[in-house]
Amino acid sequence: MTAPPLAVVLTPAGHLLVRDAASGEPAIEGPAVRRIRAAFAHGQGAGLLHLGAAEARTSLPAAFAFWRDVGRTLVAALCAQPDLEERRDRVLVAAPSETLARLAAGAPPMPGAEYLRVEVLDALWAEALDAFRSEVRAQGGTVGSWLAARDPAWALVGRVHLHLAENRRDEERPFAFLATYTTGLAPSGKPWHRPLGEAVRAASSAADRRRLLALLAPVQRAAERSPLVKELADSGALFQPLAWSPDEALRFLREAPALEESGLVLKVPGWWSARRPPRPRLHVTVGASRPAGLGLDALLDFSARLAVDGAEISEAELAALREGGDGLRLVKGRWVEVDRARLDLLLGRLAEARRAAAEGVGFAEAMRLVAGAPLAGDEGGWAGEDRAWLGVEPGAWLAEALAALRGEGAAGETDPGDLLRAVLRPYQRDGVRWLWTLARLGLGGCLADDMGLGKTVQVLALLLLLRERRALPGPHLLVAPASLLANWKAEAERFAPSLRVLVAHPSALGRTELDALTPDRLGAVDLVAVSYGWLHRLPFLREAAFGLAVLDEAQAVKNPAARQTRAAKALRARLRLALTGTPVENRAGDLWSIFDFVNPGLLGSAREFSAFIRSGERAATAAAEGEPASAPETPAPYAAVRALVRPYLLRRLKTDRAVIADLPEKTEVKAWCGLSRRQAALYAEAVESLARELAAARAGAPAAGGGAPQAAARDPDAIRRRGLVLATLLRLKQVCNHPSQWTGDGAYAPEDSGKFRRLAEIAEVVASRGEKALVFSQFREMTEPLARFLEGPFGRPGLVLSGETRVRDRAERVRRFQEDEAVPFLVLSLKAGGTGLNLTAASHVVHFDRWWNPAVEDQATDRAFRIGQRRPVLVHKLVCRGTVEERVDAMLEDKRRLARDLIEGGAELALTELPDDELLRVVALDLRRAAAEG
């Protein structure tokens, strides 16, 4: 049977896991799946080691290829140990911090990319090293046989070093070459080198010859890839000192990557930086002074000059370079690589730059050049090896603007004062300052803070600043999922009551009022809020010109072909902002689509961006397979794109220390839900039935007297009435959860429940972060349907713990949830899981339905929020708008006259005592607010 496709993910705890790939996710297929899965079954260190040692020739998607590079770096470092065989059980190889930092900076989009840190790579490196020691110990053979069993390229016994040094006393042959080998360590602790010729001359016995063949194995591999080494080995010149001309030295240096990958160690002059000598480069400075306009259309000034290592080349020196031949040349006391064809191209580019200096360069193009991410449409932009001959740096004004976007500035400049009725935390003040800087520059951005960090209040603060400082005239526009419109309205009323907010949605306005909206009628409004589903239905949106357009849950526009995406990008706005708690850097296509809204053209067209990413992936694949790659100094495509979008992307995580130190340990948020049409119909039917039965009860009841409450409580009619009300409240709760819970049909179609749709939105964000969630319901019969439904957004099954779970199984399920990082969620019935359990692996708690008793809910939340929890806990309470759930929630929040009864006895008991007319008002359905579609 064919193994399912395999994906790799880095968890918030910094653990590397493999799992079945979700639909559309880049994954491995074929025979490699079983090999890699089997390796990871022994631990993440064994898996990483396997990728580096045994899958070097396997075609892998970008995420797996990245981890292979990390593993391959470790194996290469092991091979560089001169006495590896002797120290096989105790070998220690320090993690190369600079190399790991470079790998992390160029990491491709992948699940868990946001948790990638050098510290994480250090820990994985240590575990992979432990796995190596364990495997060679268990195998019993040599380290060489262990390496050969995984890939012959790693076979190693001894190391050969090739040395290139300068000898300027010889003008014609100013370079010296020598091959040595290492036999151990000198007393000083440095490798003990001997001329390679001595090894040949000393190989008299059969054993010596075997050792010599093992020593020269890397030389043989190098000769298969390097014509120069083949010539030296065939002629015997490799075994004696040589004096070389600059051309011979350059030929050797150009083949250096293939020699190192073959297992040879190279010692070359220090000026051979990043595997290349200095070159004449075209140095461009862009944005020295403030442009006349703002935004991506602004034209920045720029200047250009030719220089070597920052030192400008004079006309005479340039002429001398052009007259000589190609190769290494001494210029200003430095060895410089000269390519006359490229030099002529540089001169042509310089002439173009000087002619275009009066016109300036577009802001987007300038930012791409600074980041090293030129696209096909860039004028003067170079790709591939040509980038080695071009250097771009920001001028004074642009450098200052970029520093401001990095958060360097005074927060007091962006304090909205008393207009904002909230105390912003330090990271939120930084966020408002960043948003204000973008607005001043006329640039869009993506605020990608974690769920629960307060993106809404930061945007409200920005809107207040824009209005009070008259920086950007309104009206402004907010586009959000329908389920969040009520939350935005409530947050604005709470934190920024002076903002005039119009919700253009059937849940707030009648259809006649919606149809009557025109741009002229928005003059008295600060913010218009609309759902994604109504973007294309409201004509005034296509006609109006907005100051700021905000997309909340902006992952809704990640599909460029979707109708709501096209409608959002057609909006007319001077400034655009995207909000998302989903890590947009995990998928390149999602990143392009969102940035095509906030800063159109920054990442080029979809075709140009895809071509740029594919070219980088092809180069990476070629390098992995041993083919010649582009120049090493050419920025990796992912690193270049990250550098390009970094000024316009602000993401803070709850796991960041700077944020954690300030966050409350537990944050509670309301997750507002609408009702589906089926829910609304069943809800209305239940309310009508209650009204009829209450009327019938009143008609047959004796006249009310002034008896004591205790007597009323013993009255059979009062008891029957209380039972009727409780039964109706139970029915309304079930309908709000899902119609199938009330009807018992077992279908549980997701589209029939507004809560299911809202739960999916929450689960998708949690899943994208690789985090875990507890989902509580007071109804045991809801646990299994919820677990089946959640498998979709999470991409894999979770666990259930309810009253039906056998006692002996409960501890095992808790253990699995706590220890197995592949288990993403646990659905619990409130009574079975509300007390006594330690479930600190979860950082999200979802109350699917409300117990209406804060103490009971808090006890359930405390399964995650307790001693041992190292991350802030985010609590989501699902509430259906326009229903009894919303009204009881308001009673709890506002501590109205029923507060004592609600807190001490529960809402159901208090509601049974209300007069009929008040009771019916509480449970009545507000169809406009409950509308869930659009």
Side-chain angles (χ1 to χ4, degrees):
M1 185 176 67
T2 304
L6 195 65
V8 62
V9 59
L10 184 65
T11 72
H15 296 160
L16 194 61
L17 304 176
V18 293
R19 56 170 171 75
D20 291 347
S23 177
E25 186 176 18
I28 299 176
E29 298 182 17
V33 170
R34 297 186 185 280
R35 299 195 303 267
I36 294 173
R37 192 187 293 276
F40 273 89
H42 296 287
Q44 59 183 355
L48 188 63
L49 181 66
H50 172 84
L51 286 174
E55 303 293 345
R57 304 175 192 274
T58 304
S59 179
L60 299 175
F64 276 96
F66 168 79
W67 293 111
R68 175 175 61 190
D69 287 344
V70 176
R72 187 161 49 190
T73 301
L74 170 63
V75 178
L78 285 167
C79 292
Q81 303 302 304
D83 52 351
L84 178 62
E85 189 63 53
E86 290 76 15
R87 297 188 297 123
R88 50 184 290 166
D89 291 337
R90 59 189 186 281
V91 61
L92 293 174
V93 183
S97 298
E98 292 185 3
T99 301
L100 296 181
R102 177 177 56 81
L103 287 172
M110 59 182 176
E114 56 201 36
Y115 306 115
L116 190 60
R117 303 286 188 276
V118 173
E119 295 84 352
V120 171
L121 295 180
D122 283 343
L124 290 170
W125 178 284
E127 289 202 32
L129 186 59
D130 285 339
F132 167 80
R133 290 190 289 253
S134 298
E135 289 188 21
V136 295
R137 186 185 305 119
Q139 175 188 263
T142 65
V143 174
S145 64
W146 183 90
L147 288 164
R150 281 141 186 87
D151 193 311
W154 295 119
L156 172 68
V157 178
R159 298 304 300 271
V160 174
H161 296 246
L162 304 183
H163 305 258
L164 181 69
E166 289 188 69
N167 179 24
R168 294 193 181 183
R169 290 173 295 180
D170 187 339
E171 293 184 2
E172 293 185 1
R173 297 182 176 276
F175 292 93
F177 171 83
L178 178 66
T180 66
Y181 73 105
T182 55
T183 59
L185 295 179
S188 65
K190 296 181 179 180
W192 193 353
H193 291 269
R194 289 188 178 182
L196 188 58
E198 289 187 12
V200 177
R201 291 189 292 272
S204 55
S205 67
D208 289 338
R209 286 193 290 273
R210 285 194 297 271
R211 283 193 291 269
L212 178 62
L213 289 176
L215 175 67
L216 296 180
V219 176
Q220 181 179 355
R221 291 195 298 271
E224 295 173 356
R225 301 182 60 183
S226 166
L228 175 60
V229 171
K230 187 176 189 309
E231 293 172 11
L232 294 174
D234 290 346
S235 66
L238 180 67
F239 306 105
Q240 56 189 355
L242 300 174
W244 276 355
S245 68
D247 288 345
E248 291 171 315
L250 182 59
R251 182 186 177 191
F252 169 76
L253 291 172
R254 284 176 172 167
E255 294 184 5
L259 303 183
E260 289 179 325
E261 291 169 5
S262 300
L264 298 174
V265 179
L266 271 58
K267 301 294 183 182
V268 299
W271 47 258
W272 179 259
S273 175
R275 296 182 177 177
R276 66 164 181 83
R279 295 168 175 173
R281 303 184 81 198
L282 178 62
H283 284 262
V284 173
T285 301
V286 59
S289 58
R290 184 181 183 88
L294 293 175
L296 292 183
D297 295 330
L299 292 177
L300 303 184
D301 63 273
F302 70 101
S303 59
R305 60 190 177 89
L306 285 176
V308 174
D309 278 353
E312 190 167 356
I313 301 175
S314 68
E315 296 291 336
E317 290 166 332
L318 182 59
L321 287 177
R322 294 188 69 191
E323 291 173 2
D326 294 344
L328 288 178
R329 305 283 298 282
L330 269 176
V331 178
K332 295 182 179 295
R334 301 174 176 86
W335 286 103
V336 175
E337 182 182 6
V338 175
D339 182 324
R340 283 186 298 176
R342 287 238 170 82
L343 190 57
D344 289 339
L345 179 61
L346 279 176
L347 294 174
R349 295 283 187 175
L350 180 60
E352 293 174 10
R354 288 173 175 170
R355 284 194 300 270
E359 300 177 6
V361 61
F363 192 97
E365 179 187 345
M367 293 303 295
R368 289 195 291 267
L369 290 174
V370 169
L375 301 174
D378 290 340
E379 295 182 6
W382 294 354
E385 292 189 4
D386 288 330
R387 289 287 302 174
W389 305 81
L390 174 67
V392 183
E393 59 186 18
W397 176 84
L398 183 56
E400 181 181 351
L402 292 175
L405 289 173
R406 288 192 296 268
E408 300 170 14
E413 299 175 358
T414 54
D415 184 2
D418 294 338
L419 292 172
L420 183 69
R421 298 184 180 178
V423 178
L424 296 177
R425 297 188 171 88
Y427 72 88
Q428 292 172 330
R429 292 197 297 270
D430 291 341
V432 175
R433 180 175 54 207
W434 176 78
L435 292 170
W436 176 250
T437 301
L438 284 174
R440 286 193 303 108
L441 296 174
L443 300 170
C446 178
L447 181 59
D449 283 348
D450 245 350
M451 180 189 296
L453 292 188
K455 294 185 288 293
T456 301
V457 73
Q458 294 175 68
V459 173
L460 292 174
L462 174 65
L463 291 171
L464 290 171
L465 288 170
L466 293 177
R467 187 189 65 185
E468 296 307 308
R469 301 188 183 181
R470 300 182 181 179
L472 186 63
H476 307 300
L477 178 68
L478 167 73
V479 185
S483 57
L484 296 184
L485 293 178
N487 183 70
W488 271 94
K489 177 73 170 175
E491 296 288 273
E493 292 172 349
R494 177 183 178 188
F495 297 122
S498 65
L499 286 178
R500 297 161 298 180
V501 181
L502 170 67
V503 178
H505 189 266
S507 62
L509 294 177
R511 186 58 187 265
T512 302
E513 296 173 283
L514 284 174
D515 292 340
L517 287 176
T518 65
D520 295 337
R521 297 192 176 190
L522 303 180
V525 175
D526 294 313
L527 180 66
V528 180
V530 65
S531 71
Y532 285 100
W534 279 83
L535 269 180
H536 62 280
R537 304 181 190 179
L538 300 175
F540 82 93
L541 293 176
R542 296 189 292 272
E543 302 165 3
F546 297 98
L548 171 66
V550 182
L551 299 188
D552 192 14
E553 300 296 341
Q555 62 271 20
V557 299
K558 66 184 180 181
N559 180 2
R563 182 167 60 176
Q564 66 186 28
T565 302
R566 297 197 305 270
K569 294 181 179 181
L571 293 169
R572 297 166 57 198
R574 292 177 57 186
L575 193 66
R576 299 180 174 201
L577 181 63
L579 311 179
T580 177
T582 301
V584 295
E585 65 263 48
N586 280 4
R587 292 181 185 270
D590 297 357
L591 180 70
W592 178 87
S593 189
I594 289 178
F595 267 79
D596 189 48
F597 169 78
V598 297
N599 281 321
L602 180 69
L603 299 183
S605 67
R607 180 176 298 179
E608 290 169 347
F609 183 74
S610 297
F612 177 71
I613 293 296
R614 284 197 304 270
S615 66
E617 291 176 342
R618 284 195 298 269
T621 301
E625 296 175 354
E627 299 176 6
S630 60
E633 65 276 10
T634 301
Y638 305 120
V641 170
R642 289 176 190 272
L644 177 57
V645 303
R646 189 176 296 122
Y648 321 102
L649 175 64
L650 182 61
R651 178 160 179 78
R652 278 79 61 86
L653 307 176
K654 295 193 293 288
T655 52
D656 287 347
R657 291 183 180 178
V659 175
I660 268 190
D662 175 66
L663 271 181
E665 293 178 309
K666 178 173 66 174
T667 303
E668 297 187 356
V669 296
K670 299 288 170 43
W672 298 102
C673 313
L675 295 183
S676 69
R677 293 182 179 179
R678 187 180 178 205
Q679 282 177 301
L682 289 173
Y683 190 102
E685 179 184 314
V687 173
E688 292 172 1
S689 175
L690 174 63
R692 287 195 302 270
E693 296 192 47
L694 288 175
R698 286 197 304 271
Q710 292 85 352
R714 292 192 296 271
D715 180 14
D717 291 331
I719 295 174
R720 282 195 297 273
R721 181 183 182 279
R722 178 178 295 174
L724 169 64
V725 174
L726 289 175
T728 301
L729 290 174
L730 177 63
R731 177 179 176 182
L732 294 179
K733 277 187 175 184
Q734 292 173 327
V735 170
C736 286
N737 281 353
H738 197 291
S740 293
Q741 187 184 2
W742 166 247
T743 62
D745 59 19
Y748 288 97
E751 63 273 12
D752 283 346
S753 170
K755 281 192 177 182
F756 270 46
R757 285 196 290 270
R758 189 72 182 95
L759 180 61
E761 294 171 359
I762 295 171
E764 286 169 0
V765 176
V766 177
S768 71
R769 293 288 319 279
E771 296 178 336
K772 293 192 175 195
L774 303 179
V775 181
F776 283 99
S777 173
Q778 72 178 91
F779 300 100
R780 175 192 52 75
E781 66 268 21
M782 282 301 300
T783 55
E784 290 293 344
L786 283 171
R788 290 195 301 271
F789 171 72
L790 286 170
E791 288 186 23
F794 277 102
R796 55 191 187 277
L799 297 172
V800 172
L801 198 158
S802 70
E804 292 186 341
T805 307
R806 293 180 297 184
V807 174
R808 63 175 178 270
D809 293 337
R810 295 188 180 191
E812 173 61 18
R813 293 190 186 185
V814 170
R815 186 199 64 77
R816 277 192 61 198
F817 182 76
Q818 287 289 92
E819 299 177 6
D820 188 347
E821 292 190 87
V823 177
F825 64 86
L826 174 62
V827 180
L828 309 97
S829 63
L830 204 57
K831 287 187 176 180
T835 58
L837 301 179
N838 187 340
L839 299 169
T840 53
S843 56
H844 292 262
V845 176
V846 180
H847 291 288
F848 184 75
D849 43 57
R850 308 295 300 279
W851 189 257
W852 293 349
N853 185 327
V856 175
E857 286 189 345
D858 288 345
Q859 285 180 339
T861 298
D862 287 348
R863 299 316 94 216
F865 177 56
R866 60 192 297 116
I867 294 175
Q869 177 59 263
R870 298 183 179 182
R871 290 169 292 173
V873 175
L874 186 58
V875 184
H876 312 262
K877 298 182 178 181
L878 273 59
V879 180
C880 284
R881 296 192 312 266
T883 71
V884 66
E885 289 191 336
E886 182 179 19
R887 296 180 181 93
V888 171
D889 178 77
M891 293 177 187
L892 288 169
E893 292 294 331
D894 296 339
K895 302 186 184 300
R896 295 178 180 170
R897 64 182 179 84
L898 293 179
R900 180 180 301 276
D901 293 331
L902 290 172
I903 293 173
E904 296 180 357
E908 295 96 329
L909 181 59
L911 291 176
T912 61
E913 309 305 319
L914 291 176
D916 290 355
D917 55 348
E918 189 172 345
L919 173 64
L920 290 173
R921 280 197 299 271
V922 170
V923 300
L925 175 64
D926 185 338
L927 274 174
R928 178 179 294 175
R929 293 186 56 75
E933 58 180 310

